[in-house]
Amino acid sequence: MTGRALLALLLLLAGVAGAAEPLFDERGYRVRDFRADTGGPPPGVALIDTVDLAALVAADGAALVDVLPAPPRPATLPAGALWLPPARNDIPGSLWLPDLGLPALSPERATRFRSTLDAFLAGRARPVVVYCLERCWLSWNAARRLAEWGIPDVRWYPEGTDGWTAAGLPTARAEPAVRPEEFP
């Protein structure tokens, strides 16, 4: 077998192996390869760009939800050792709900996220803008989830903090509103 034929066979086998692992679950949530090119917004969700988002933020007309996962404590770090996670800077005024974009949430975690979001919205009717980083399927998943929860005006900002900072717009230090370690 020539080198070219062997390479073709290996690529074919890699494609078959990849096909066995779907990208989306039966509910339509992306389940792997979260940092990849994204398509259009999920069903029931509008797309928003940096210019329109900056205008909404300036008018205090949006509820911003950052869904970037919080960095996990390194498994190799000895118990009791001090660990300071890297800082997260997001769009000022955002609610940081790490892991809201995971494809599956435990009932406890979903309830906690929903109650935290409801308190953040405080009954105000305004668009809810979901974001993470550029090329982040977790924000896509989270926007889908909020639409399924019946949030009336969900918008997805696929450029995330990468697009926001590239436009020279300000960020602020963030703290998670719900910490992943609170749940098993």
Side-chain angles (χ1 to χ4, degrees):
M1 184 177 283
T2 68
R4 183 173 276 171
L6 180 59
L7 177 61
L9 177 62
L10 289 174
L11 289 173
L12 176 66
L13 290 174
V16 170
E21 299 176 38
L23 286 174
F24 295 88
D25 66 15
E26 65 283 350
R27 298 167 302 134
Y29 288 88
R30 179 90 172 212
V31 296
R32 63 180 176 85
D33 301 336
F34 296 117
R35 289 303 303 270
D37 289 335
T38 54
V45 173
L47 197 63
I48 190 166
D49 64 17
T50 304
V51 171
D52 291 339
L53 180 56
L56 271 178
V57 168
D60 192 28
L64 305 167
V65 180
D66 180 2
V67 299
L68 181 75
R73 181 182 171 90
T76 57
L77 197 61
L82 180 63
W83 178 65
L84 297 173
R88 168 66 174 155
N89 291 323
D90 63 15
I91 300 170
S94 295
L95 174 69
W96 184 16
L97 294 176
D99 298 341
L100 179 64
L102 292 176
L105 298 176
S106 69
E108 298 83 13
R109 187 176 282 195
T111 298
R112 179 73 184 281
F113 281 143
R114 184 65 196 261
S115 65
T116 303
L117 180 63
D118 288 346
F120 179 65
L121 297 176
R124 289 179 55 199
R126 56 187 175 154
V128 176
V129 179
V130 179
Y131 69 93
C132 180
L133 301 173
E134 187 176 44
R135 301 179 67 231
C136 179
W137 279 93
L138 294 171
S139 62
W140 190 96
N141 280 352
R144 178 183 181 95
R145 177 166 287 122
L146 296 188
E148 288 176 352
W149 283 352
I151 304 295
D153 186 359
V154 179
R155 301 181 192 185
W156 176 51
Y157 178 51
E159 297 158 35
T161 50
D162 296 324
W164 186 261
T165 57
L169 296 165
T171 60
R173 177 81 186 251
E175 290 296 326
V178 175
R179 296 186 177 279
E181 63 270 13
E182 295 174 12
F183 300 95

